[in-house]
Amino acid sequence: MTEFVDGWIFGHTLGEGAYGEVKLLLNKSTGEAVAMKMIDLEKHPDARQTVRKETAIHRMLSNPNIVQYFGKRSEPNMEYIFLEYASGGELFDRIEPDVGMSAWEAQKYFRQLISAVEYLHSKGVAHRDLKPENLLLDENDNLKISDFGLATIYRMQGKERCLERRCGTLPYVAPEVLLRPYHAEPADIWSCGIILVALLAGELPWDQSLAECPEYMTWRNGKYMSFTPWRKLDNSSLSLIRNILTHSPSSRCTIQDIKRHRWFVKKFQKAGSIEGYIRPDETDSRQVLEDENLTRFCLSQPELPGIETNTVQINLEERAGFSFSQPAHIEDLLLCTQVQNKFTQPSQQNTFQRLVRRMTRFFVKTELEETVKRLINSLNNESYTCRINDCGTITISSMDRRKMPLVFKANIVEMDGKILVDFRLSKGCGLEFKRRFVKIKSLLEDIILKGPVTWPIAVATECMP
Ligand code: ATP
Ligand code: MG
């Protein structure tokens, strides 16, 4: 196995970002896992400033529903960002295309999302790219906001500034962001509303919230009831969504309004639970923890002197409020010793075989060569462009129905004597990727091994750089 630095070895690729891959790193002696976002500055010299801002903001944050930042390492042509490893994969993977998920599950994730966004806003931070692809899950299925690449500070020392930059991912972007200037909080809240539609209906309501978009105008005009996705939703979720997806940001509901809404507070029954048993409200205890952190954090955290500069220093001794576990020996990873947090107890992770919960994969009955042949044939028949690299990774490209590029990768690996075909989104919309996966799976139905889905499962280590 390739070593990154002494004591830390590479695991598999977790995902792909705009400027490079995100890889798993494992500590040889403790088995602890860290996600490492790699930014290739040679290929993307413009990324230097972005990374500086992303890390300056991310390091301010400490919340159970936000991926924890551990530190970064700067080399002449590479930046490495070390993050809490979210082993549950991405939220979009839990959304069944055109169906969504159970109300219970959607409410759980939505409550956690709102709790994290409330925390972010309390810190004066706007995320600006909230979408299911940037919402990860931990081993207990708790939602974690990630990717602060477009985040910004909109309130400092109690003074709010309006934002100017048009950014985000079009279907999730609020109408005022496209017109500018805009207030940060309602814009993030809008994206949460689109996420809620995706969770409950498995589709996005429109390409963009502009007058040119007929689906958006139908919604704005209130004549949407016979159309999808709205007709799939019940009255109470629709009422909440109507309050969030209100065109005018000043009339849009606030986080406090959302938290009081009847859909948000309702107790849904967990599918498959014993009749009459309602799972205790998880957000209550989470909220207490969060409030505690918030109070302590506010007392101890120095004001950010200026996010555009590289001068942010956080005094470890002052950061008594930090409470999330961080791997031991993290300092080995941080060349420039930007140690973020006080060291705490190592977590329970003690195996080199990390578990990844991903649903976009299946085992097949066929041998490796036959599997590759069948997959490539099916992809060609569906007019995908395919490319295989030396490690056997197949890169599959096409355009989605919004005419946006969609790129995903398939790895065919042998595991426990069986062949696993594992798909991962590389670029584009997570929901579209899920739709394509379902279609490809149906084309290979005759070779797919039936039986209970065996996840979580270990994933073999891929080619190393
Ligand atoms: P983009 O601009 O395409 O959103 P990015 O450069 O901002 O990408 P991220 O969104 O931070 O990169 O990461 C890309 C992908 O890597 C994620 O969608 C996720 O699949 C995976 N990933 C990122 N961070 C983690 C983590 N902490 N744990 C597990 N997987 C992660
Ligand atoms: Mg991202």
Side-chain angles (χ1 to χ4, degrees), residues 14-22 35-37 54 67 83-87 89-90 92 129 131 133-134 136 146-149 424-427:
L14 295 170
E16 240 168 276
Y19 303 120
E21 288 188 326
V22 180
M36 177 173 76
K37 190 164 165 173
E54 173 173 351
V67 163
L83 303 167
E84 171 189 6
Y85 168 46
S87 66
E90 294 160 333
F92 77 75
D129 197 18
K131 56 179 175 180
E133 293 86 324
N134 285 336
L136 307 181
S146 81
D147 192 355
F148 288 83
R424 169 163 60 75
L425 176 66
S426 175
K427 185 177 179 188

Side-chain angles (χ1 to χ4, degrees), residues 251-274:
S251 321
R252 197 169 300 153
C253 64
T254 61
I255 297 234
Q256 293 317 314
D257 298 329
I258 294 175
K259 285 169 74 178
R260 280 192 295 264
H261 190 276
R262 66 181 191 278
W263 186 86
F264 195 90
V265 296
K266 202 162 160 174
K267 279 197 188 292
F268 288 104
Q269 187 153 338
K270 187 182 179 184
S273 66
I274 304 158

